[in-house]
């Protein structure tokens, strides 16, 4: 595996892990927010995805990737406290949930008969 590919996989995994820690009680309302603990989750997951020197022992064609420094930040322009962002998140969720819920309402009389 090339060093570039390994690093790409590690970053993608770290982003997915970080974003999976959203507040699930708010997600029912179409609001997806993460807490202040997101950055440590990202950094820990990123480090866990990289091969250690011991894991590469005996392999001559694998690259050792090491990160000497890194930083990550989240776009504060997309803050949930912004009324436009709040409305957008709810609209996006309802775009998918509303048709499913309506189909359930329309099918209910057929289930009872």
């Amino acid at each position: 595996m090339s060093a570039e590919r390994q690093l790409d996989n590690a970053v993608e995994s770290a982003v997915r892990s970080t974003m999976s820690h959203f507040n699930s009680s708010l997600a029912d309302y179409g609001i997806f927010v993460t807490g202040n603990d997101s950055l440590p989750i990202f950094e820990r997951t990123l480090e866990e995805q990289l091969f250690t020197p011991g894991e590469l022992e005996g392999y001559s064609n694998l690259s050792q990737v090491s990160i000497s420094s890194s930083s990550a930040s989240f776009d504060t322009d997309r803050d949930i406290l912004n009324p436009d962002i709040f409305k957008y998140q709810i609209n996006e969720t309802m775009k998918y949930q509303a048709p499913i819920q309506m189909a359930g309402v329309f099918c209910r009389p057929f289930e009872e008969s």
Side-chain angles (χ1 to χ4, degrees):
M1 175 184 301
S2 71
E4 180 181 359
R5 180 72 179 157
Q6 183 186 2
L7 192 55
D8 283 347
N9 289 343
V11 170
E12 287 177 15
S13 179
V15 168
R16 283 192 306 269
S17 292
T18 303
M19 298 311 289
S20 71
H21 285 85
F22 61 87
N23 185 322
S24 59
S25 62
L26 293 175
D28 294 338
Y29 302 101
I31 303 168
F32 296 92
V33 296
T34 59
N36 292 333
D37 60 345
S38 297
L39 192 55
I41 293 169
F42 177 84
E43 291 171 343
R44 183 182 68 245
T45 306
L46 183 63
E47 285 295 325
E48 290 172 353
Q49 297 302 312
L50 300 177
F51 291 121
T52 63
E55 292 174 318
L56 293 176
E57 193 172 308
Y59 295 96
S60 59
N61 63 341
L62 293 178
S63 301
Q64 172 64 42
V65 176
S66 64
I67 299 175
S68 57
S69 70
S70 66
S71 66
S73 63
F74 295 96
D75 187 358
T76 57
D77 292 341
R78 305 279 303 159
D79 193 337
I80 192 67
L81 298 177
N82 179 331
D84 292 333
I85 302 302
F86 185 77
K87 182 179 176 181
Y88 175 80
Q89 281 198 356
I90 291 174
N91 285 337
E92 282 297 300
T93 299
M94 292 311 296
K95 179 170 51 175
Y96 300 104
Q97 287 183 357
I100 294 169
Q101 291 173 357
M102 291 304 294
V105 168
F106 292 135
C107 292
R108 197 168 298 134
F110 298 111
E111 292 174 354
E112 295 171 0
S113 57

